[in-house]
Each structure stands twice: as structure tokens, then as C-alpha cells.
Amino acid sequence: MGRPRQFDPDTAVTDAMEAFWDLGYEGASAAVLEEHMGIGRSSLYATFGSKDELYAAAMDRYLEDLRKRVITGLRADGPALDVLQSFFHRVTRRGEPGGEPLRCCMIVRSCATGTTASPAIARLVERAIAELDDAFHDLLLRARHEGTLRARGSLRGLARLLTTTFQGLNIAANAGRSRRELQSITRATLDLLEA
Amino acid sequence: MGRPRQFDPDTAVTDAMEAFWDLGYEGASAAVLEEHMGIGRSSLYATFGSKDELYAAAMDRYLEDLRKRVITGLRADGPALDVLQSFFHRVTRRGEPGGEPLRCCMIVRSCATGTTASPAIARLVERAIAELDDAFHDLLLRARHEGTLRARGSLRGLARLLTTTFQGLNIAANAGRSRRELQSITRATLDLLEA
DNA sequence: CAGTTTTTGGAACGAGCGGTACAAAAAGCC
DNA sequence: GGCTTTTTGTACCGCTCGTTCCAAAAACTG
């Protein structure tokens, strides 16, 4: 009963995510969020409570999308290491004209700025990282079954290394590395993995 | 002539660096910087011009220190891969009681938050990264001469991968990974590199 | 249509931000 | 020891921050 909302909270969260992703937690001020979400301040606070809670919701959305993107990317058909190569290759192409924009992964940014000091965010991030580990681990298992993987030592450790490389690549791209350098990094990664 | 400064600008920059390192660019407010540097606001602005310029000076100091730490770390005596192992191992021990505190590398934080949008900072960071690449490259050359390295493909690419892993490890540590996980990552790295 | 309930826009809040103005204090100069 | 030059402490500037308040508007309920 009463007046119904004039906007869709779900798309509002998506819009907020875009703002936080582009501008970071501090950069996305209340005024900026109003603008991006297309709603007034009252609606914002009435619906989401506080900036922190909105950020948590936006982060949750981001991680959900990331999960989908990564999992579908790594479950693609074909030889496992080819799949991995094209997955990393896609990352190195961010920022090219007409492609995905180059912006820092929200996980990386959150860890770097210590937003993870908040227990709620820390929990979300830790879970997402564990799932990244799992996705890489599945792919490594595939590669091992194919016999294309030089696997010595723990596959789980290797999977964690790939997660680390994935996030490191993100930093590298945002550090102004050229496409050539970025691709030399993914090339080196695959050279090491091949049997 | 005139009244001499009551403080040493050099140590003041170091103090500022500590503040920026701990709290980030935005977190280190003028009041905080006053406190950490032990000087008043007038002195701060008269000496350093603006917060941006002070940040640039602090970053420069940070990178100089980092350079020294990394280069002396990677030039240590002994088998090259052992040196690399203990270098990474040291990173994974940050945050242990009584040791180095766990705080995000200023390069990583700067890239993640886009402080590198400022050309002055970007230049500093790019140069520092190139020097990290070189330091790893030197170590890889050593390993190759020893015959302990499984080197296929470009050594420069491999060196860049190590820089990337170094920064990725930093993210991983700040993401709340356990010491066990962190060490499994360095273990995996060395397993891949060994001939 | 009257009454209740909820949302909405906009003004306003106190606090903190980076930066400046200014006068008092301190040291060098002759 | 006066005079100049520089630094220092403090108060203050305009602005933006996240958040709250409140009255008007809108839609559901009987």
C-alpha cells in the first residue's frame, strides 16, 4: 500500500555498481550516485540505507557478474590451455577503442584501498576469490586430463597462482603497460604451463 | 638569510610517505599529514606547494626505497631460484606479529585508484615498474646460466610475469589470504620455473 | 471520495576537506 | 641592536562530503 516506487531497485544497483566501478568508493559521491542512478537522494537513502550498504549491494552485483563472465569464459570448449590463453588475452585487450573500457577490477581496488576492512565486504571478496580459484582449478584439471599441462606440485596452488596472475594483469594494465607487454606476460604464463 | 626551517624536509617527506602508505592519498588529509610530519600547515604548504606535489615527493621516496629493497633482495648470493623463493617468501610473511606490517604497495594502490591519471605519478610508476622488470630479468639470467631455469620463450616476458606476480601477491595478501595460501602461490611459481 | 501510507524533491545539517591570510616570532644581516 | 627576511601558528575561507528533515505529491485502501 502507499505510493509505489518510481524506479527499479535492481537496475539502480547496477547503475550504482557502474559508478563505483568507474570512480571508486570515495569518488562516487552522493551527488554522483544520484546522477548515475537517476533517483533523488531521499529515494536512495530510503531504499538502501547508507552509502556503505549501497556499496555492498553494488559489490555483490559486481561479483555476481564477474563470476558469470569468468566461469563461462573458462568453461569454453576447446583445449584447456587455449581457453586459458584466450581468457587472458581478452583481459589484455581492455581499453582498446570500441572494446571493454579499461577500469580496475573492483576486487583489486577494494583490496588495495582497504575497503575490505569492513567485514561485510571482506566476506564477499574472500568468497569471490575462492570461486575464482575453483574456476581456474577446474580448467587445470581439464588440461591435466588432456595431458597438455606440466603439472608438478599442487594444482590448487597453481590455481591460486592463476588468480593472482589475473589480478596482477589487471594492475599491470592500469599501470600503463602497453598491449605488447601485457601479451608477453600472458605468453610467458602459457609457456610455463605447457607440458 | 631569514629564519631557518625548524624541521628537516627530507624526514618530513619520509613521514608523509608513511602516512600516504598507510592511509592512501585520500585518507591522508591535511590534518593527518600535519600530525604525522610534526609540522604546521603553513610550513607544509610553504615547503611542498600542494598536497599533490607532496604526494609526488612521497611516492618518489617510496619508489626509491622499494628499488633498494628489491634490488638488494634479488642480488643476494646463492642459487638464483633460492633467492627468488626467499624474496617471495618474505612478501608472504608481511603482517606477521613483530614483522613488517601488511599494507598495500603504493604502486598497486596508485594504479588501482587511478592516481596514475596524473602524468607526473604515471611517469614515476612506469619507470619503477620497468626497473622491477629489469631486476627480475637479471635474476632470471643468473638462473639460466646456472642451468636451473626452465626457460622457453622470452626472458623479458617472464621477468614481466614475475613483476606481475609480485604485485598480484600483494593484492592476495591484502585480500585476506592465509599464509598457507600465499605460500602455496610462491611454491607454484617456483615449481613452474624450475628446470 | 476521503484517509492512510509511502515516495519524492529539495533544503538544510554538521563535519571535514584542501588551501589561504595574516600577524607574531625567530633568526640572519649590517 | 635595529632592520630585513623567512618561518611559524592560528584562524578562517569556500566547498563538498554523507546524512537527515520535512512538506508536498502520489497511489493504494475502504
Side-chain angles (χ1 to χ4, degrees):
Chain A
M1 61 176 77
R3 179 178 177 179
R5 264 200 212 91
Q6 304 274 98
F7 64 96
D8 174 23
D10 206 62
T11 71
V13 168
T14 304
D15 294 338
M17 177 197 78
E18 292 288 335
F20 282 123
W21 194 359
D22 280 337
L23 306 167
Y25 178 83
E26 322 223 45
S29 68
V32 164
L33 289 167
E34 274 184 313
E35 175 96 12
H36 274 72
M37 302 168 76
I39 66 176
R41 204 161 291 211
S42 302
S43 307
L44 201 163
Y45 277 90
T47 308
F48 300 105
S50 70
K51 188 183 176 183
D52 290 298
E53 293 172 82
L54 177 57
Y55 180 75
M59 176 64 93
D60 203 38
R61 170 67 44 85
Y62 174 83
L63 295 177
E64 206 171 310
D65 291 359
L66 178 71
R67 237 186 304 271
K68 275 188 218 137
R69 259 189 299 137
V70 169
I71 286 180
T72 67
L74 294 184
R75 288 210 183 137
D77 288 334
L81 291 188
D82 290 1
V83 169
L84 186 64
Q85 159 124 32
S86 71
F87 178 82
F88 278 148
H89 193 73
R90 208 171 312 134
V91 175
T92 67
R93 301 186 64 125
R94 284 183 197 155
E96 279 184 355
E100 287 182 78
L102 175 59
R103 38 186 179 177
C104 185
C105 167
M106 281 187 73
I107 294 181
V108 172
R109 189 168 192 149
S110 164
C111 293
T113 54
T115 316
T116 47
S118 141
I121 301 296
R123 202 154 25 81
L124 290 179
V125 165
E126 282 172 36
R127 195 176 50 134
I129 287 183
E131 285 168 355
L132 288 181
D133 289 348
D134 289 342
F136 281 118
H137 188 247
D138 287 348
L139 190 70
L140 289 173
L141 279 175
R142 262 173 73 186
R144 187 159 68 176
H145 286 144
E146 291 170 0
T148 53
L149 181 70
R150 180 176 120 113
R152 30 161 74 181
S154 147
L155 264 203
R156 290 232 98 95
L158 195 48
R160 290 188 196 108
L161 174 57
L162 290 182
T163 301
T164 302
T165 306
F166 178 44
Q167 299 183 332
L169 259 183
N170 206 290
I171 294 291
N174 284 88
R177 295 253 204 203
S178 69
R179 212 102 48 211
R180 211 197 91 250
E181 287 177 297
L182 294 176
Q183 288 175 5
S184 81
I185 295 170
T186 87
R187 181 70 260 142
T189 305
L190 275 116
D191 283 342
L192 288 178
L193 291 175
E194 281 161 9
Chain B
M1 57 177 74
R3 178 178 179 182
R5 264 200 212 91
Q6 304 275 100
F7 64 96
D8 175 21
D10 207 61
T11 69
V13 168
T14 305
D15 294 338
M17 178 197 79
E18 291 286 337
F20 283 123
W21 195 0
D22 278 339
L23 306 167
Y25 179 83
E26 323 224 42
S29 68
V32 164
L33 288 167
E34 277 185 312
E35 174 96 11
H36 274 73
M37 303 168 76
I39 67 177
R41 199 164 295 209
S42 302
S43 309
L44 200 163
Y45 277 90
T47 308
F48 300 105
S50 69
K51 188 183 175 181
D52 290 297
E53 294 173 83
L54 177 58
Y55 180 75
M59 177 64 93
D60 203 39
R61 169 68 43 86
Y62 174 82
L63 295 176
E64 206 171 310
D65 291 358
L66 179 70
R67 238 184 304 271
K68 274 187 219 137
R69 258 188 300 137
V70 169
I71 286 179
T72 67
L74 294 184
R75 285 206 184 140
D77 289 332
L81 292 188
D82 289 0
V83 169
L84 186 63
Q85 158 123 32
S86 72
F87 178 82
F88 278 148
H89 193 73
R90 209 172 312 133
V91 175
T92 66
R93 300 186 65 124
R94 285 183 195 152
E96 279 184 354
E100 288 182 78
L102 174 58
R103 37 187 181 178
C104 186
C105 167
M106 280 188 74
I107 295 182
V108 172
R109 190 169 192 150
S110 165
C111 294
T113 55
T115 316
T116 48
S118 141
I121 301 296
R123 203 156 23 82
L124 291 179
V125 165
E126 281 172 37
R127 195 176 49 134
I129 287 183
E131 286 168 355
L132 287 181
D133 289 348
D134 289 344
F136 281 119
H137 188 247
D138 287 348
L139 190 70
L140 289 173
L141 279 176
R142 263 173 70 187
R144 188 159 69 177
H145 287 145
E146 291 170 1
T148 52
L149 181 69
R150 179 177 120 115
R152 27 160 75 182
S154 148
L155 263 201
R156 289 232 100 91
L158 195 48
R160 291 189 195 107
L161 173 58
L162 289 182
T163 301
T164 302
T165 306
F166 179 44
Q167 299 183 331
L169 259 183
N170 206 292
I171 294 291
N174 283 89
R177 294 251 205 206
S178 69
R179 212 101 50 211
R180 213 197 90 251
E181 287 176 297
L182 294 175
Q183 289 177 3
S184 80
I185 294 171
T186 87
R187 181 70 262 142
T189 304
L190 275 117
D191 284 342
L192 288 177
L193 290 174
E194 282 160 10

